[in-house]
Amino acid sequence: MTETILILGGTKEAAELAAKMATAKPSARIISSLAGRTREPKPLVGEMRIGGFGGPEGLANWLRSENVDQVIDATHPFATQISSNAKQACMATGTPLQVRTRRPWVERQGDRWQHVGDIGEAVEALPPNGRILLALGSQHIKPFAVRKDVWFLVRMIDAPKTPLSLHNHHLLLERPSPDWRDERAMLVKHGITMIICRNSGGAGAYAKVEAARNLDLPIIMIGRADG
Ligand code: NAP
């Protein structure tokens, strides 16, 4: 019987893993699952399915109907709901689960991080009158609307479905560059005085942290719930 592997993805690492597994196991069915947040996801090696499963029960049903032999959770470390669903669904169906979570970034010499626990703390930690790069997903922007004293540069891959509720802001529709020199140029161009981001870990989004170090800019770093 054909081996079927489900990769819960949405990250660069998950896409790389799908390509690696397709080469290592040419006769297996490698299915990558995306939530559907990005309108035009990059093509992936193997099969791709898009959209939620309908909670842990929906995922468990899907695992059964597709005869999945193994699940690999390679989702973003802040995507905690789907990871919890995967644990429950795998337990319910007896499907082996491998969790591959990125390690958080560690503060290095020259970094000026202020550690906060969540978005609410980040809103309060903002000094007045700054020019802030908000490097967060669209669903996390709204709480910053109360800070009418601050100007925000909001970077997203896709335009938000509804206009942002922020008072003073500019929307930058582009993917982050993996090269810190590009990120530095972007920060300088917009006169950014501080960055707010989450400690996602991984190489893909690290260039802004390197650029901030180079420019001696502070970062409000939102930590993970699990530390
Ligand atoms: P989340 O809060 O953990 O998940 C919310 C719901 O979205 C889940 O209950 C599930 O719906 C669906 N979902 C999430 N990931 C899915 C996947 N890979 N395949 C199918 N359904 C999925 O997740 P999130 O923070 O919204 O992130 C969504 C996706 O974007 C994740 O796959 C993640 O890897 C990727 N991503 C997230 C971030 C971030 O900052 N959170 C950054 C980059 C990429 P059902 O309950 O209906 O199954």
Side-chain angles (χ1 to χ4, degrees), residues 7-11 32-38 49-56 58-59 73-85 102 136-137 139-140 198 200:
I7 300 176
L8 296 167
T11 59
S32 292
S33 174
L34 306 180
R37 305 277 186 267
T38 308
R49 67 159 300 286
I50 298 183
F53 296 94
L59 178 54
D73 177 3
T75 56
H76 190 273
F78 282 83
T80 50
Q81 186 60 56
I82 187 68
S83 295
S84 160
N85 293 357
R102 293 177 194 160
L136 300 172
Q139 67 272 39
H140 304 297
R198 294 182 301 174
S200 306

Side-chain angles (χ1 to χ4, degrees), residues 14-214:
E16 287 167 1
L17 181 65
K20 231 187 253 175
M21 295 209 75
T23 308
K25 294 178 180 250
S27 58
R29 234 185 122 195
I30 312 290
I31 311 169
S32 292
S33 174
L34 306 180
R37 305 277 186 267
T38 308
R39 261 167 234 159
E40 286 181 32
K42 288 184 179 165
L44 285 163
V45 179
E47 290 178 41
M48 174 160 68
R49 67 159 300 286
I50 298 183
F53 296 94
E57 299 79 17
L59 178 54
N61 289 338
W62 197 90
L63 296 179
R64 286 189 197 100
S65 67
E66 297 295 324
N67 291 316
V68 174
D69 295 291
Q70 191 192 356
V71 177
I72 303 176
D73 177 3
T75 56
H76 190 273
F78 282 83
T80 50
Q81 186 60 56
I82 187 68
S83 295
S84 160
N85 293 357
K87 253 188 222 160
Q88 293 175 60
C90 287
M91 188 93 84
T93 55
T95 313
L97 170 67
Q98 200 188 116
V99 180
R100 297 191 171 208
T101 311
R102 293 177 194 160
R103 298 163 80 90
W105 299 315
V106 175
E107 200 168 358
R108 289 181 33 188
Q109 195 175 2
D111 284 335
R112 295 174 56 201
W113 294 4
Q114 179 176 352
H115 298 269
V116 296
D118 56 30
I119 300 274
E121 284 182 28
V123 173
E124 283 177 20
L126 274 179
N129 307 318
R131 291 179 67 85
I132 313 294
L133 170 66
L134 266 190
L136 300 172
S138 57
Q139 67 272 39
H140 304 297
I141 303 299
K142 207 174 165 195
F144 292 92
V146 294
R147 294 302 307 264
K148 297 193 168 37
D149 56 327
V150 170
W151 182 89
F152 294 102
L153 178 65
V154 185
R155 179 166 63 185
M156 293 178 182
I157 296 171
D158 293 318
K161 289 188 182 111
T162 51
L164 297 176
S165 46
L166 298 175
H167 186 59
N168 285 316
H169 75 277
H170 175 69
L171 184 60
L172 194 57
L173 292 178
E174 61 180 32
R175 287 181 191 271
S177 168
D179 187 329
W180 69 269
R181 284 162 290 240
D182 295 340
E183 294 290 82
R184 182 180 61 184
M186 177 273 297
L187 294 170
V188 170
K189 180 178 169 195
H190 294 280
I192 298 301
T193 56
M194 181 180 264
I195 297 174
I196 298 189
C197 66
R198 294 182 301 174
N199 195 335
S200 306
Y206 191 63
K208 64 177 175 292
V209 177
E210 291 179 286
R213 186 184 306 132
N214 182 271

